[in-house]
Structure formats: structure tokens, C-alpha cells
């Protein structure tokens, strides 16, 4: 896949038939300059079990998970966290058992490598398309459409067991699908306005919104250590924002809105109850939300942006039809794939390990996007980004510290 994807980025396959009004510092839109992603360990992934009577307590890495609320109950809380999965495992007392042995280590390493690789390609291809095709609602709808097709294919071919879903469950999941839709839409809006590295730097603020919303609406007061870990996050993002070359308010506030919507899943999901179904595990729940997100956003796209992804419109805009379609397709596939792999990892490791891995993933995406798009980065900007990411790492550690009881 990697060699094929790199071929699509060759300078001989431009997306624009006419000259693009891009600035020299915004990166090469026509091909891969010199960057090659680091190789990853090879291995096979262990399928996530969906037949257990107790679903895992880890929660979402990039979407919601189901957590039992009491022993023997026929009720589950649809609990969602954000793309920063430190809150995904709140309340989980013990780490998940590891696979053990060399084979298990290689498998886990391969999954982490795929997780990072899919993220890299998603951000690069997505940014390339959004840079010239300035319709983020249409692009987001296309990504959900691709995910919907993959989900239906997976269920129809029995690659993954189709869930038994009731009407009450769909009603309970609907608010989660709504905020999931908005979160991804705002992320794409930000990526279309500012550099990929800057969007992900702002998204490092997710722990701040998690603590704020949990305190305001759930009464969950953070520990002193958690509050202290937020200081470098907020300070680092502020420092990076002040020195960001691609800064504009539309991109900044879109990324902030993405943080707010993703973190609001925690608040919503803790108040939602759905009837237990054995087949409704993390992957199936994400699959249902993907389909619902497409159904929610498709009519909005037609009303706000109209039909802008037709061959006639793309060609009339002076764009390379084949490359726009192909890169949009790859971005959509990578978008769905990295979230699926994230769930597979979350089923094998503790929430803390997953949270640390997510922090490292953000660093990898920022660095590779800077190299690929040749984003101008000053020393102060790099320092701010580094401080913010260090704060996220610290937050993922201190979040596990429980306050002492008298």
C-alpha cells in the first residue's frame, strides 16, 4: 500500500490542471518532495472479540465505547471520549493483559505502526485536497460515505459480525453521532485554513476541554496534579499560536470547536443508557455512528454547499479530476482504517499505554507534516508545540493518580 500511495504523490500527477495560487511555503501540492515514512514492524493483528458478555471498560480512542455500569444489569452506558484517549479508560482499575512473548510484541508494534501510518497519510492527502477543493462539508461527507460503504461491506461479507441494534439504542447513540459529525467537520475546516502541524498543536488542548466540561456538567473535580499538567498545554498552545506562520482565526476557532465537540461526547455519553446487546462492541458502535454521521451530514451538504463533487464541477474548477477523486478516496480509507486500528490497540493495552501512544502519534503527524509540506517553523513555535505536547504526555500520566481518601 505504501509504495502505491507514494506513487500517487509523484510530481507527474498534478491535482491542478491550472496553476495553483498556493504560496511557496505552503508545501508541494503536486508531489512528495523527499519524505518517506519510517518503516514499521510487520505483524498480524488479533481480532477484537465481540462475544464477551462484558464489554471492555476502555472507551473510545477516537469514538465511544460501552462500559457496564453494574454487575448483572441489562444496561450499558454509551461512554465516549475523544481522540486523546486519556479519559477513555477512566474508572478502569487494572491494565489490560498484554499478549506476551515476541510474537505479541511484534503484533502490537505493527498495529501502532499502522495506526501512525494511516494517520500520516490521512492528514497529507486530506490537506492536499482541502487546499484546492475548499468545501470541507463535502469532503467530510465523502469520508463518512467511504466509511459507510466499508462498514456495510464488512457486515454483508461477515468479515465482522453485524450487530443487533434496537430503536432505543439508536436514539441513545444519535447525540454521540451528532457531536462526532461536528468534531470531524470542524477538524477538516481547520485543516483547510491552517497548516496540519498547527491544527494538531491546537488539538493538544483536548485535555483542557475534558477537564472543564467534566467539572461543569458532571461535577468531577480534577486533582491538583491534573490542573498543573494543563498549564504547559495551555501555555504551549498559546506560544505556538502567537508565532504560527499560517495562523488565521477561522482555522484556530475551527480546531477549538473540534476540541469542544469531541470532548462533549464524554458528558453526553455518561448520561445515556442503552440496552445491552452482546454484539454491540467498540467497532460496531463506531460503525453505527459512521453510518449515522453520513445520514446526518449528507442533507446538510446539499443545502449548504450543493453538489460540488461532480466531475463537471471539479473539471470546471481547473482541477485534476482523477487525482482529486483518488486522493479523496485514499484519505477516506485511511480515516476509517486508523480509527479501526485504534480500537484493536485499545483492546490489547491499558488506557494509559494507549494515551501515551496517542500523544506520540500526534508528534509523528506534526513532524511528518512539517517535513512534507515544508512548513516554516520558528524556534519559538517549535518550543511552544513541544511544551504543549509534553503537557499532554504529563496529563496522560497524572490522570491515573487517584486522590487519597481520609
Amino acid at each position: 500500500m505504501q509504495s502505491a500511495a507514494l506513487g500517487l504523490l509523484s510530481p507527474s500527477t498534478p491535482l491542478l490542471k491550472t496553476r495553483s495560487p498556493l504560496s511557496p511555503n505552503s508545501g508541494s501540492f503536486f508531489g512528495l518532495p523527499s519524505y518517506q515514512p519510517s518503516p514499521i514492524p510487520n505483524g498480524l493483528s488479533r481480532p477484537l472479540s465481540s462475544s464477551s458478555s462484558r464489554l471492555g471498560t476502555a472507551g473510545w480512542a477516537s469514538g465511544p465505547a460501552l462500559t457496564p455500569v453494574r454487575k448483572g444489569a441489562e444496561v450499558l452506558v454509551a461512554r465516549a471520549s475523544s481522540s486523546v484517549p486519556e479519559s477513555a479508560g477512566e474508572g478502569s482499575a487494572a491494565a489490560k493483559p498484554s499478549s506476551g512473548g515476541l510474537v505479541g510484541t511484534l503484533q502490537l508494534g505493527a498495529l501502532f505502526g499502522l495506526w501512525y501510518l494511516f494517520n500520516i497519510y490521512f492528514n497529507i492527502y486530506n490537506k492536499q485536497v482541502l487546499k484546492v477543493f475548499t468545501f470541507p462539508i463535502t469532503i467530510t461527507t465523502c469520508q463518512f460515505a467511504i466509511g459507510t460503504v466499508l462498514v456495510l461491506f464488512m457486515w454483508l461479507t461477515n468479515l465482522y459480525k453485524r450487530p443487533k441494534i434496537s430503536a432505543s439504542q439508536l436514539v441513545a447513540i444519535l447525540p454521540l453521532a451528532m457531536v462526532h459529525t461536528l468534531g470531524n467537520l470542524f477538524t477538516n475546516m481547520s485543516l483547510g485554513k491552517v497548516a496540519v502541524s498547527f491544527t494538531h498543536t491546537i488539538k493538544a488542548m483536548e485535555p483542557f476541554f475534558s477537564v472543564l466540561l467534566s467539572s461543569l456538567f458532571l461535577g468531577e473535580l480534577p486533582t491538583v496534579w491534573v490542573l498543573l499538567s494543563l498549564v504547559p498545554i495551555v501555555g504551549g498552545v498559546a506560544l505556538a499560536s502567537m508565532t504560527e506562520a499560517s495562523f488565521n482565526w477561522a482555522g484556530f476557532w475551527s480546531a477549538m470547536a473540534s476540541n469542544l465537540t469531541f470532548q462533549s461526547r464524554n458528558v453526553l455519553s455518561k448520561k445515556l443508557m442503552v440496552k445491552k446487546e452482546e454484539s454491540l462492541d467498540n467497532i460496531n458502535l463506531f460503525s453505527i455512528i459512521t453510518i449515522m454521521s453520513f445520514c446526518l451530514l449528507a442533507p446538510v451538504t446539499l443545502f449548504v454547499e450543493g453538489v460540488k463533487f461532480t466531475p463537471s464541477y471539479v473539471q470546471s474548477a481547473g482541477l485534476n479530476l482523477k487525482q482529486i477523486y483518488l486522493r479523496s478516496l485514499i484519505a477516506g480509507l485511511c480515516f476509517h482504517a486508523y480509527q479501526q486500528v485504534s480500537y484493536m490497540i485499545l483492546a490489547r493495552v491499558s488506557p494509559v499505554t494507549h494515551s501515551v501512544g496517542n500523544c506520540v502519534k500526534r508528534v509523528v503527524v506534526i513532524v511528518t507534516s512539517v517535513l512534507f509540506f515544508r512548513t516554516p517553523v520558528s524556534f519559538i513555535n517549535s518550543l511552544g508545540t513541544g511544551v504543549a505536547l509534553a503537557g499532554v504526555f504529563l496529563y496522560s500520566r497524572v490522570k491515573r493518580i487517584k486522590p487519597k481518601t481520609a
Side-chain angles (χ1 to χ4, degrees), residues 115-254:
W115 188 23
Y116 294 177
L117 190 66
F118 286 137
N119 262 273
I120 290 170
Y121 276 109
F122 166 71
N123 281 278
I124 288 178
Y125 281 113
N126 201 33
K127 176 63 177 180
Q128 284 185 320
V129 175
L130 286 168
K131 194 184 296 183
V132 294
F133 189 80
T134 56
F135 298 99
I137 305 180
T138 299
I139 292 298
T140 307
T141 303
C142 289
Q143 290 166 1
F144 286 136
I146 292 170
T148 298
V149 171
L150 290 177
V151 169
L152 295 178
F153 176 80
M154 179 177 67
W155 287 343
L156 291 174
T157 58
N158 291 323
L159 291 177
Y160 204 83
K161 184 180 179 181
R162 184 174 59 183
K164 297 177 181 179
I165 189 76
S166 64
S168 61
Q169 284 180 306
L170 291 176
V171 172
I173 295 171
L174 179 60
L176 303 180
M178 293 173 65
V179 292
H180 178 72
T181 303
L182 290 173
N184 285 285
L185 174 59
F186 285 131
T187 298
N188 279 341
M189 291 173 65
S190 179
L191 287 171
K193 296 292 184 179
V194 297
V196 174
S197 56
F198 185 49
T199 294
H200 282 274
T201 299
I202 301 173
K203 285 178 71 64
M205 283 277 289
E206 285 176 335
F208 172 82
F209 286 93
S210 177
V211 172
L212 178 64
L213 293 175
S214 295
S215 300
L216 291 176
F217 297 102
L218 299 177
E220 297 179 357
L221 298 179
T223 65
V224 174
W225 297 110
V226 168
L227 291 176
L228 290 176
S229 70
L230 296 179
V231 175
I233 296 177
V234 176
V237 171
L239 188 62
S241 299
M242 289 188 296
T243 56
E244 172 61 36
S246 67
F247 180 88
N248 69 67
W249 286 110
F252 176 83
W253 288 116
S254 295

Side-chain angles (χ1 to χ4, degrees), residues 294-318:
F294 170 69
C295 295
L296 288 170
L297 197 56
V300 177
T301 304
L302 295 176
F303 180 76
V304 177
E305 294 182 348
V307 183
K308 293 292 192 297
F309 214 55
T310 59
S312 59
Y313 182 88
V314 173
Q315 289 177 333
S316 67

Side-chain angles (χ1 to χ4, degrees), residues 26 40 73 88 94 109 111 115 132 187 221-222 239 257 268 291 293 296 342 362 373 389:
S26 61
I40 61 173
L111 288 176
W115 188 23
V132 294
T187 298
L221 298 179
L239 188 62
L268 286 173
I291 297 174
S293 295
L296 288 170
S342 176
R362 198 176 297 283
F373 292 108
L389 294 173

